Amino acid sequence: MRGMLVKDFRMLWMQKQFFAVIVVLSVFLLFSGQAVSFIICYCTAMGMYLSLSMITYDEYENGYAFLFTLPVSRRGYVIEKYVFSVICTVVMCGLSATVCGIAEWIRQPELNVAELILTAVSGMFAMQSLFAVIVPFRLKFGAEKGRIVIMIVTVAMFGTIILTAQVGKMVPALRETLQQLGNVSGPVLCASMILAVLAVMGISVPVSIHIVEKKQF
């Protein structure tokens, strides 16, 4: 796994221009008055999609056929992708939250640090859950078909969230439930998100391993 991680980080380092674009855009959003929560979630999402792009590089020009001639098991390959994604999302989330927090503190010293941390943690868990949902489809359908499936899955997930929020405004019982969820304390919310991510990962990892082990390269 260590060798695969080194390979992915070296390939990531080759995308310095993309990182520069992310930094420039994030700074622009920060100084244009965009909400800090949006910037943190944006950077965290970029970290997730960068880790997802490594699968595309591995597939390029029948790369899997070469990779699996090396001392790398298919199971180890899949697990490494999840570990790499966790590292990328944590680093991008941590850096963006730190920079945004400092910038906000300079502008308003009464910065709510707890709220900032909760925003960062929520974004990180959300992106990691999205990665766990996307990867099995990406491994199953490949680059071209996978892109379409990923788009459909992403739109369906966010559409469900938006639809639930809209229905909640019209259905009193659901509205009360959503309001109660909004009043949940930070530690309880974090614990719930951790359990949710672990549940999604617990399903996603075995499914991805099964897909890769059965796939012909």
Side-chain angles (χ1 to χ4, degrees), residues 8-163:
D8 282 347
F9 278 116
R10 287 184 177 274
M11 293 182 69
L12 200 60
W13 181 247
M14 295 171 62
Q15 301 184 47
K16 295 187 290 294
Q17 293 179 343
F18 186 71
F19 278 110
V21 172
I22 294 175
V23 171
V24 171
L25 184 56
S26 299
V27 171
F28 172 78
L29 292 173
L30 185 61
F31 284 99
S32 65
Q34 185 66 48
V36 168
S37 57
F38 174 81
I39 299 172
I40 295 174
C41 290
Y42 166 76
C43 292
T44 306
M46 289 300 101
M48 186 272 289
Y49 278 108
L50 280 171
S51 60
L52 193 63
S53 69
M54 293 300 105
I55 298 177
T56 302
Y57 284 112
D58 291 341
E59 290 180 344
Y60 184 66
E61 291 188 348
N62 202 24
Y64 279 132
F66 169 74
L67 277 177
F68 293 126
T69 62
L70 303 175
V72 177
S73 68
R74 299 193 178 200
R75 180 186 183 88
Y77 171 83
V78 172
I79 294 175
E80 184 272 337
K81 293 304 174 191
Y82 285 88
V83 172
F84 183 72
S85 173
V86 170
I87 294 172
C88 287
T89 51
V90 169
V91 170
M92 292 293 285
C93 181
L95 288 175
S96 60
T98 301
V99 173
C100 289
I102 293 173
E104 281 294 292
W105 178 76
I106 292 173
R107 289 190 292 195
Q108 47 180 22
E110 65 279 4
L111 173 68
N112 190 333
V113 178
E115 183 178 344
L116 179 69
I117 294 174
L118 184 60
T119 298
V121 172
S122 301
M124 181 177 63
F125 286 147
M127 289 304 108
Q128 197 55 46
S129 297
L130 183 59
F131 179 86
V133 172
I134 288 174
V135 166
F137 293 100
R138 181 66 184 76
L139 293 172
K140 175 68 175 178
F141 296 102
E144 298 303 323
K145 293 181 180 178
R147 192 174 295 113
I148 298 173
V149 174
I150 289 170
M151 187 180 300
I152 294 172
V153 171
T154 304
V155 170
M157 289 179 63
F158 284 103
T160 301
I161 295 172
I162 295 172
L163 181 61

Side-chain angles (χ1 to χ4, degrees), residues 169-182:
K169 295 178 181 179
M170 297 181 289
V171 181
L174 184 56
R175 183 170 63 248
E176 291 177 4
T177 302
L178 293 174
Q179 289 174 347
Q180 290 176 358
L181 289 176

